[in-house]
Amino acid sequence: MAKSENTVTDKKLFYRMGEVSQMLGVAPSVLRFWEKNFDCLGQLHKNRRGERLFTEHNISDFRHILFLLREKGYTIQGANDLINQQTNKLPKTQQTMDSLLKIKAFLTALKEQL
């Protein structure tokens, strides 16, 4: 049985820009734009070649940003302000979102098997 990429059980320390953009379904340019405009992302890791490397925490922040912009309809500035105001609530909200995404991935895989 071949191992599928980016399943719920796959864990790496760092992910490349292409992997993250594919996970989130956005273009790499969108991630670079968010990196410049959202304070919560902070300084991201880069390898010797200057390529951006993202951790699980960074991906979690990107998911939260994506949720605020696409689902809730916030503007860039509005989402940035909300994140900065609710820094203590973010981990709990993000944990809930991550749990729901894992459940969605599991149900999608289960549906494909049927």
Side-chain angles (χ1 to χ4, degrees):
M1 175 182 253
K3 187 175 181 181
S4 63
E5 292 183 25
N6 295 332
T7 61
V8 176
T9 58
D10 289 344
K11 293 287 182 184
K12 296 181 354 181
L13 290 177
F14 294 103
Y15 296 87
R16 292 180 180 219
M17 175 76 72
E19 294 172 319
V20 176
S21 68
Q22 199 173 41
M23 279 184 221
L24 300 175
V26 297
S29 60
V30 172
L31 297 178
R32 287 190 293 272
F33 179 77
W34 288 350
E35 178 186 347
K36 292 177 186 174
N37 289 295
F38 284 94
D39 304 329
C40 66
L41 295 173
Q43 186 68 24
L44 299 176
H45 296 80
K46 291 187 179 182
N47 64 10
R48 292 180 189 170
R49 293 172 39 191
E51 297 170 337
R52 290 169 179 85
L53 300 174
F54 302 102
T55 62
E56 286 286 333
H57 181 39
N58 298 134
I59 295 169
S60 176
D61 289 341
F62 280 129
R63 282 191 178 122
H64 186 68
I65 292 168
L66 181 67
F67 174 75
L68 290 175
L69 296 177
R70 301 266 169 95
E71 300 295 323
K72 291 292 189 173
Y74 280 90
T75 62
I76 300 283
Q77 185 61 43
N80 198 10
D81 292 343
L82 182 69
I83 291 170
N84 289 335
Q85 290 172 359
Q86 297 180 344
T87 54
N88 58 346
K89 294 181 182 178
L90 181 62
K92 185 177 181 180
T93 303
Q94 193 58 47
Q95 287 175 348
T96 304
M97 286 177 36
D98 288 342
S99 298
L100 290 173
L101 287 171
K102 287 178 183 178
I103 292 169
K104 181 181 177 182
F106 172 74
L107 291 174
T108 304
L110 186 63
K111 181 181 174 184
E112 290 175 2
Q113 290 178 356
L114 294 177

